[in-house]
Amino acid sequence: MSDITRRSMLLGSLGVAAIGVLSACGGNDSPSTSASSSSGKNSSAAGAAGSILVWTDSNREPVLRKVAEQFKSDTGVTVKLAVKDFAKIPDDFITQAPTGKGPDAAIAAHDATGRMVQNGVIAPLELGEISAYQDVAIQAFTVNGKIYGVPYATENIALVRNTTFVKDAPKTFDDMIEMGKKSGAKYPFLVGLDPKQSDPYHLYPFQASFGAPVFELKDKGFDSSKVAMGGTNGEKFASWLADQGKTKNFNLNVSQDISKDLFAKGQAAFILTGPWSLDSFTKAGIKYEISEVPSAGDRPATPFVGVQGFWMSAKTKDAVATQKFLVEYIGNPNVQTELFKVGHRPPASKQAFEKAKTDKDVAAFGAVGQKAVPMPNIPAMGSVWADWGVAQAEIISGKASNPKATWDAMVKAIDDKIKKV
């Protein structure tokens, strides 16, 4: 947005504490003397006054409500908000968008974007200066060279250590286990897993460190036509995975909730988790530090990064107003700062991230995330997760008598399914 006074009403509605955050819209602001400037209700960019519907979740709704009020003040267009279950949005979007009863825009996680594009239900967006966003955030919402979302936050896992037990960050996985054992903690290391599905998301950094990415990784992201988990590198990871099961470094009976609870009770030296767990650690009085995931192989342990943002429906009746709301308002670094406050996920906007990273936890997770890779946003991922997780669980549990053969069979099964997608 190019006019400071366009947010003048928003400042008051968000309260005094937000004035310093929302008083401007970034480096392109220019002064104006009247709240009824040319960028107000008569702006042709927003089109004729009408209404658009935006699906959001309950956490982000209070911030979006204030932004919607400002948008109506500026453009005359009403933004109706509908609170939805975040996890159900992709399926509901695919079902309702073609009927004309779906939203004009919706909050979403980036990894479902490829499926939305495949189904023809979302439209590409013109973000303008994409350099204003974290590179990984733009990459996450890009499909076939086009950007299909306005990103607002990123999230990824990292290694969290209890500094009462361990002072320094480990350099390798073996170092971490040894440090944990010597620390006196009941559990040297924890990662939450599922007895039937393991957790490929949390274990991916270790797999990547063996040079076995889920798909072939190129400069612009994953090539879903080429499964890259197989071969010698994949088999080495499978053997290593079996060893971790035998030594109980990985325990399928320790779920995400259990691992978080044990760490919060001061019983573990290290845990692999995301920022969503930190509140419980803080409330429990645990002193902790965050660092990179230690490598188990001969390459860096790169986790997946997830990006949240907003899609625009390909069936919207007002593409001009919808794009304006998403790009100029949701993309506003000051609005992204407010969204950060309610979600505690590092902002996708570089300017907002600079403000947020004064929080050392945000800075630490953000530093790890900048070296991470976007979780694949391709439709083929629907053919990957189940087989991947089951194979991991069988290997960790010891049910797989031949870990390499089990891994190779999993890779072939996924490859066969992808060819049919």
Side-chain angles (χ1 to χ4, degrees), residues 106-356:
I107 195 171
H110 86 273
D111 54 296
T113 302
R115 186 159 65 99
M116 299 300 111
V117 173
Q118 185 182 56
N119 281 274
V121 295
I122 61 174
L125 292 159
E126 295 294 334
L127 265 60
E129 293 294 330
I130 61 174
S131 61
Y133 295 91
Q134 304 281 355
D135 292 343
V136 72
I138 294 297
Q139 185 181 351
F141 276 102
T142 299
V143 177
N144 298 327
K146 296 180 180 180
I147 302 170
Y148 284 89
V150 175
Y152 77 86
T154 65
E155 63 180 5
N156 54 270
I157 58 174
L159 186 69
V160 181
R161 71 181 184 279
N162 184 328
T163 55
T164 300
F165 290 121
V166 181
K167 181 180 179 181
D168 299 318
K171 294 181 178 180
T172 68
F173 183 88
D174 290 341
D175 287 343
M176 177 187 68
I177 297 300
E178 187 63 25
M179 293 163 73
K181 288 179 178 178
K182 291 181 178 179
S183 71
K186 183 176 180 179
Y187 300 95
F189 167 73
L190 293 172
V191 56
L193 301 174
D194 180 86
K196 295 181 179 179
Q197 292 286 333
S198 178
D199 192 326
Y201 173 81
H202 276 79
L203 298 186
Y204 186 73
F206 304 126
Q207 180 176 323
S209 76
F210 280 87
V214 56
F215 297 115
E216 185 173 304
L217 192 58
K218 297 185 176 180
D219 291 340
K220 295 184 178 180
F222 289 102
D223 179 354
S224 63
S225 68
K226 299 180 179 178
V227 178
M229 293 191 284
T232 301
N233 290 344
E235 291 177 350
K236 286 180 179 178
F237 172 70
S239 295
W240 177 85
L241 203 60
D243 290 341
Q244 305 318 305
K246 292 175 183 176
T247 58
K248 297 300 181 182
N249 289 333
F250 293 165
N251 189 334
L252 295 173
N253 294 317
V254 176
S255 66
Q256 290 290 329
D257 288 342
I258 292 173
S259 66
K260 185 169 69 173
D261 182 60
L262 290 172
F263 192 86
K265 290 179 177 178
Q267 296 185 29
F270 297 96
I271 185 172
L272 189 62
T273 190
W276 48 83
S277 296
L278 297 184
D279 279 349
S280 63
F281 301 161
T282 301
K283 290 177 181 177
I286 299 296
K287 296 180 180 180
Y288 62 82
E289 293 289 343
I290 299 161
S291 59
E292 294 182 359
V293 182
S295 176
D298 58 3
R299 308 183 192 192
T302 50
F304 283 135
V305 61
V307 182
Q308 293 188 2
F310 287 81
W311 296 320
M312 180 172 75
S313 173
K315 308 299 180 181
T316 176
K317 294 182 175 65
D318 195 341
V320 174
T322 303
Q323 164 136 333
K324 186 178 184 69
F325 179 72
L326 296 183
V327 174
E328 297 186 24
Y329 287 70
I330 300 301
N332 179 335
N334 304 299
V335 171
Q336 296 215 352
T337 296
E338 292 302 305
L339 290 169
F340 158 70
K341 290 180 180 178
V342 298
H344 300 293
R345 293 173 173 85
S349 159
K350 290 179 181 177
Q351 183 175 323
F353 179 70
E354 286 302 311
K355 295 178 182 179

Side-chain angles (χ1 to χ4, degrees), residues 11-180:
L11 303 184
S13 65
L14 282 172
V16 176
I19 289 178
V21 175
L22 290 168
S23 61
C25 194
N28 295 325
D29 285 327
S30 59
S32 177
T33 58
S34 170
S36 58
S37 68
S38 62
S39 59
K41 292 184 179 180
N42 293 326
S43 171
S44 61
S51 67
I52 60 176
L53 173 64
V54 178
W55 284 355
T56 182
D57 63 347
S58 58
N59 287 339
R60 259 60 63 167
E61 190 274 340
V63 173
L64 294 189
R65 189 183 339 123
K66 303 304 181 183
V67 179
E69 290 172 2
Q70 182 62 31
F71 189 72
K72 183 173 184 179
S73 174
D74 291 345
T75 67
V77 177
T78 298
V79 179
K80 299 178 180 178
L81 301 175
V83 175
K84 300 279 290 185
D85 182 333
F86 189 89
K88 295 180 180 179
I89 286 177
D91 287 342
D92 289 350
F93 202 107
I94 288 176
T95 301
Q96 296 187 33
T99 69
K101 297 180 181 179
D104 296 280
I107 195 171
H110 86 273
D111 54 296
T113 302
R115 186 159 65 99
M116 299 300 111
V117 173
Q118 185 182 56
N119 281 274
V121 295
I122 61 174
L125 292 159
E126 295 294 334
L127 265 60
E129 293 294 330
I130 61 174
S131 61
Y133 295 91
Q134 304 281 355
D135 292 343
V136 72
I138 294 297
Q139 185 181 351
F141 276 102
T142 299
V143 177
N144 298 327
K146 296 180 180 180
I147 302 170
Y148 284 89
V150 175
Y152 77 86
T154 65
E155 63 180 5
N156 54 270
I157 58 174
L159 186 69
V160 181
R161 71 181 184 279
N162 184 328
T163 55
T164 300
F165 290 121
V166 181
K167 181 180 179 181
D168 299 318
K171 294 181 178 180
T172 68
F173 183 88
D174 290 341
D175 287 343
M176 177 187 68
I177 297 300
E178 187 63 25
M179 293 163 73

